[in-house]
Amino acid sequence: MKIIPALYLIAFSFTLIACATPETRLRSGLIDAGLSPAMSACMAERMVDRLSLLQLRRLASLGSLKDRRITDLTLDQFLQKVRALKDPEILAVSTSSAAVCALR
């Protein structure tokens, strides 16, 4: 019966979509916050595996800064905003990701 393999394929596709969504949202939030697309993609890829969904949502909310028209936000400025979230784990993961991605 060919229906069963098709259901597995559909389920697998939804699983992939669900896994990609937090990274995509975080990457978009980082870009909206003023980081470059390349830096945002690198950091989101690393951070999505190290933080909880709630922490990722809090980070993605930094995209609300886009209304302030921040251009070329420096890493130092970004980390200062992350520090304001008052979550040591988010700060540690963001700092290490920023350092690794800056060296790439």
Side-chain angles (χ1 to χ4, degrees):
M1 200 169 192
K2 294 187 179 195
I3 294 175
I4 299 296
L7 290 177
Y8 284 127
L9 182 59
I10 290 170
F12 181 70
S13 297
F14 282 126
T15 301
L16 287 178
I17 291 169
C19 291
T21 300
E23 183 177 346
T24 302
R25 287 182 181 174
L26 177 59
R27 184 178 59 241
S28 295
L30 295 173
I31 290 170
D32 289 346
L35 293 178
S36 72
M39 179 62 91
S40 297
C42 178
M43 289 179 65
E45 180 181 347
R46 291 181 45 80
M47 295 164 76
V48 76
D49 294 330
R50 293 168 175 81
L51 297 173
S52 71
L53 286 176
L54 179 62
Q55 290 170 317
L56 291 171
R57 284 188 191 128
R58 291 184 69 205
L59 263 175
S61 74
L62 291 176
S64 65
L65 298 173
K66 68 182 175 184
D67 295 335
R68 295 176 52 195
R69 291 288 188 196
I70 297 173
T71 57
D72 298 326
L73 182 71
T74 67
L75 284 177
D76 187 45
Q77 291 168 325
F78 170 74
L79 292 175
Q80 185 176 16
K81 297 192 183 312
V82 170
R83 200 172 293 117
L85 295 174
K86 298 185 190 269
D87 184 322
E89 189 174 12
I90 292 175
L91 180 60
V93 171
S94 298
T95 303
S96 65
S97 295
V100 168
C101 293
L103 296 174
R104 282 191 181 174

